[in-house]
């Protein structure tokens, strides 16, 4: 079964809602499992729970079939997302354009060519779909 991972902010921002909307569409279209991920940074520790995340998503989109809600603690959002994508063995990662640019900056530290789509495809075998909030 296809697995789609979508990292979002909590509370849901305009960008997170747009990204989530696309992830939900893809998951429904492909009859896929959807993992909605929020990274709660250690340094800000907002105490976000899976229940908080699920309620916020369901307020916007209604109950979702085959959806998991995951809150991970981490120091770096991008690194924690990559770890979750690998752990889930995700086929598709749907990220906002803001997140993509942060990933590029992070990867620039490690790679000569910070092509996030190519990096994820090679390292994690995942397709990355980038969503702009103004679509």
């Amino acid at each position: 079964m296809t697995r789609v991972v979508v990292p979002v902010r909590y509370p849901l921002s305009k960008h997170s809602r747009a990204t989530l909307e696309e992830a939900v569409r893809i998951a429904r279209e492909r009859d896929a499992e959807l993992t909605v991920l929020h990274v709660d940074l250690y340094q800000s520790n907002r105490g976000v729970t899976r229940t908080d995340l699920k309620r916020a998503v369901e307020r916007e989109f209604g109950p979702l079939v085959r959806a998991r809600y995951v809150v991970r603690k981490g120091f770096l959002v991008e690194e924690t997302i990559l770890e979750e994508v690998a752990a889930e063995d995700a086929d598709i990662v749907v990220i906002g354009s803001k997140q993509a640019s942060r990933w590029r900056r992070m990867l620039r530290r490690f790679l000569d060519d910070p092509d996030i789509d190519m990096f994820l495809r090679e390292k994690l075998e995942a397709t990355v779909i980038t969503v702009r909030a103004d679509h």
Side-chain angles (χ1 to χ4, degrees):
M1 175 169 278
T2 302
R3 291 194 169 126
V4 178
V5 173
V6 58
V8 297
R9 290 183 180 269
Y10 180 88
L12 296 176
S13 66
K14 172 184 160 188
H15 294 280
S16 289
R17 283 191 294 277
T19 305
L20 193 51
E21 182 178 353
E22 180 64 8
V24 167
R25 186 193 67 73
I26 291 167
R28 286 179 176 152
E29 182 180 278
R30 298 180 188 213
D31 198 28
E33 293 177 349
L34 176 66
T35 298
V36 180
L37 170 66
H38 171 72
V39 179
D40 196 8
L41 295 174
Y42 282 117
Q43 51 272 39
S44 51
N45 191 16
R46 296 163 112 191
V48 178
T49 67
R50 289 177 53 235
T51 302
D52 295 333
L53 184 59
K54 181 178 181 183
R55 283 186 184 140
V57 171
E58 289 185 346
R59 259 193 309 275
E60 294 287 328
F61 299 95
L64 301 175
V65 179
R66 282 190 296 287
R68 290 181 59 233
Y69 299 89
V70 177
V71 176
R72 294 278 182 250
K73 295 277 190 196
F75 286 107
L76 293 172
V77 171
E78 296 78 13
E79 183 179 6
T80 307
I81 292 168
L82 288 173
E83 289 169 359
E84 185 66 25
V85 168
E88 289 277 328
D89 195 20
D91 300 293
I92 300 169
V93 182
V94 183
I95 59 174
S97 56
K98 283 181 147 187
Q99 187 69 50
S101 65
R102 281 193 292 269
W103 269 3
R104 283 188 193 94
R105 281 193 304 275
M106 181 185 81
L107 288 175
R108 210 171 273 131
R109 297 178 196 147
F110 305 110
L111 305 171
D112 291 332
D113 181 18
D115 182 340
I116 186 66
D117 188 43
M118 186 62 72
F119 176 81
L120 288 175
R121 193 176 302 122
E122 288 174 0
K123 301 296 182 196
L124 304 173
E125 299 175 6
T127 300
V128 177
I129 298 172
T130 304
V131 177
R132 293 179 52 99
D134 55 2
H135 73 277

